[in-house]
Amino acid sequence: MSERSRTTWQDVRADVLDRIRSRDWKPGDLIPTEVELAAEFGCARATVNRALRAVAEDGLLDRRRKIGTRVARHPVRRATMRIPILRHEIEARGGAYAHRLLQRENRLPPAAVRGRMALLPTARALRLRALHLADDEPYAFEDRWVNVDAVPTIAAADLTQLSANEWLVAQAPFTSGDLTFGALRPGAATAAHLGTTKDHALFSIERLTWNDATAITLVRLTFQDRKSVV
Amino acid sequence: MSERSRTTWQDVRADVLDRIRSRDWKPGDLIPTEVELAAEFGCARATVNRALRAVAEDGLLDRRRKIGTRVARHPVRRATMRIPILRHEIEARGGAYAHRLLQRENRLPPAAVRGRMALLPTARALRLRALHLADDEPYAFEDRWVNVDAVPTIAAADLTQLSANEWLVAQAPFTSGDLTFGALRPGAATAAHLGTTKDHALFSIERLTWNDATAITLVRLTFQDRKSVV
DNA sequence: CAGTGGTCTAGACCACAAG
DNA sequence: TTGTGGTCTAGACCACTGG
């Protein structure tokens, strides 16, 4: 008979989402204020605030002080991609992970790499190529540059056991990263490593990692398969 | 002289991030409880809670009741990709958007499409092909299937002016979507539309949109260029 | 200036899970 | 059972911004 439990912010969020989806509140509409909604739901304003903030973070509401809260006209869909360490990605699917370091050298990077990493013209960088395997099958080909000035201790690291990615995640702090998706046709060597041919188009992910204004590493991972996101 | 302003949750978050990055708190470490941190920062527990929740949502902390809060051992990096309507994406960069409907027919979809959209074997679907242009240059090629049983009113829609995507966003409610990134080599016709050749590898995004258990639309967008994410 | 969201507080109770 | 995070409340003040 009586309402035993209090109104939770999830309750409010669900109700708000329903009203948006049912077009009870239409795109561009101004919705009631937090105070009004709190009265309607019989809860504290903070609870409404929590709910509306969550919905706004999903991009379905636009909130502005003094103005109020509007239903977003063009909800920008956001897809959150999880980027686990490859070993974890493979092991999470029950596969056996292995990693093979193919190349390791200290050299002057090409101009394109130097530019993207904002390296000095005279700076050398560590060039790594590696293959990631799932159940002994090629899973991804890695082509990496590491700014050795930013991470000098990597010179002494054994990267045949622990992958460069795991070593860097554990040893080198970073503050931000860029991500670029693309497609490419592999060179003969890459194709051979991945067990495919030059005729195929491969999906690639490039990650450029920064510690403040210092580039740490630029890595391109090339996959045979497509990648799904939630 | 005196501390004029109160401690904000952003202050706490910044401090927590510093301690994680400086390895004052190392991966796997249990950090102080909310009560302890609140005492240390001289603020309410709710403020600490807000800050720790934000950091945990970024994946750098693991929080569990009774256990406490730990620094994540393997912070799963999350990249949030914004997926705007193509017209907005182009216009946001100062380009002039145009849209050309190339094909529109009602037909039985191939088995692969039928399977992914969970359509009945006898169900027809609306097949659309379109080209999106930026400053009169080909920008993306669209290949779309629409479940007409789920969105019957699209049969009467003029999709030469408003793109199918914008029409659907405005008219067809949806509850969830899947996203798949991939690479492909275009067929001769697609290559011609995009002003490229079959020799190039193209980046593609597939989106499958659901309204509860009913598929609304399956669309594949093929781009010449790479896509960057923050 | 006024109205709206943003946040802090102090206290309270709940929910979960290790022991 | 107990300790920890999760949440709600009622009230207060702040911050931004349109008028």
Side-chain angles (χ1 to χ4, degrees), chain A residues 11-33:
Chain A
D11 294 335
V12 177
R13 179 182 58 181
D15 200 289
V16 166
L17 288 174
D18 273 348
R19 295 192 199 184
I20 293 174
R21 281 204 273 263
S22 70
R23 310 200 144 255
D24 187 7
W25 293 339
K26 299 180 183 58
D29 279 3
L30 207 53
I31 76 172
T33 67

Side-chain angles (χ1 to χ4, degrees), chain A residues 63-201:
Chain A
R63 317 197 71 199
R64 291 172 63 192
R65 284 173 173 160
K66 166 71 178 176
I67 304 299
T69 301
R70 288 185 183 281
V71 180
R73 286 185 186 279
H74 303 289
V76 174
R77 304 216 23 190
R78 293 186 180 85
T80 301
M81 189 174 197
R82 297 163 34 97
I83 309 172
I85 289 173
L86 281 178
R87 177 165 67 80
H88 299 157
E89 179 174 328
I90 289 167
E91 290 174 350
R93 301 190 309 196
Y97 172 80
H99 159 261
R100 192 183 302 155
L101 185 61
L102 303 173
Q103 181 186 356
R104 174 180 185 149
E105 60 175 339
N106 221 298
R107 51 164 294 197
L108 284 173
V113 170
R114 191 176 70 223
R116 292 186 62 188
M117 296 180 74
L119 299 177
L120 295 175
T122 59
R124 287 176 172 273
L126 180 63
R127 167 67 171 290
L128 299 167
R129 290 192 213 246
L131 194 60
H132 300 266
L133 305 142
D135 291 328
D136 288 325
E137 294 291 322
Y139 184 80
F141 179 76
E142 171 179 327
D143 190 345
R144 181 187 295 269
W145 293 89
V146 180
N147 180 359
V148 286
D149 293 329
V151 199
T153 52
I154 199 172
D158 176 7
L159 299 177
T160 59
Q161 301 305 312
L162 198 64
S163 74
N165 185 28
E166 288 193 75
W167 190 93
L168 286 166
V169 165
Q171 304 295 330
F174 62 90
T175 53
S176 68
D178 307 330
L179 204 60
T180 304
F181 303 124
L184 54 82
R185 292 185 61 190
T190 304
H193 283 308
L194 282 173
T196 182
T197 72
K198 293 175 64 175
D199 295 330
H200 283 78

Side-chain angles (χ1 to χ4, degrees), chain A residues 21 23 50 53 74 76-83 85 88 116 169-171 173-175 177-185 199-203 206-207 209 226-230, chain B residues 21 23 50 53 74 76-85 88 116 169-171 173-175 177-185 199-203 206 209 226-230:
Chain A
R21 281 204 273 263
R23 310 200 144 255
R50 179 89 160 84
R53 181 157 43 80
H74 303 289
V76 174
R77 304 216 23 190
R78 293 186 180 85
T80 301
M81 189 174 197
R82 297 163 34 97
I83 309 172
I85 289 173
H88 299 157
R116 292 186 62 188
V169 165
Q171 304 295 330
F174 62 90
T175 53
D178 307 330
L179 204 60
T180 304
F181 303 124
L184 54 82
R185 292 185 61 190
D199 295 330
H200 283 78
L202 303 183
F203 174 53
E206 279 189 20
R207 239 183 303 169
T209 307
R226 308 188 302 174
K227 289 283 173 191
S228 285
V229 184
V230 179
Chain B
R21 280 204 274 263
R23 311 200 141 255
R50 178 89 158 84
R53 181 157 42 81
H74 302 290
V76 174
R77 301 203 37 193
R78 294 187 181 87
T80 300
M81 189 174 197
R82 308 182 49 217
I83 309 172
I85 289 174
H88 299 156
R116 291 186 63 188
V169 165
Q171 304 294 329
F174 63 90
T175 53
D178 307 332
L179 203 60
T180 304
F181 303 123
L184 55 82
R185 291 184 61 189
D199 295 331
H200 283 77
L202 303 183
F203 174 52
E206 278 189 21
T209 307
R226 309 188 302 175
K227 290 282 174 191
S228 285
V229 185
V230 180

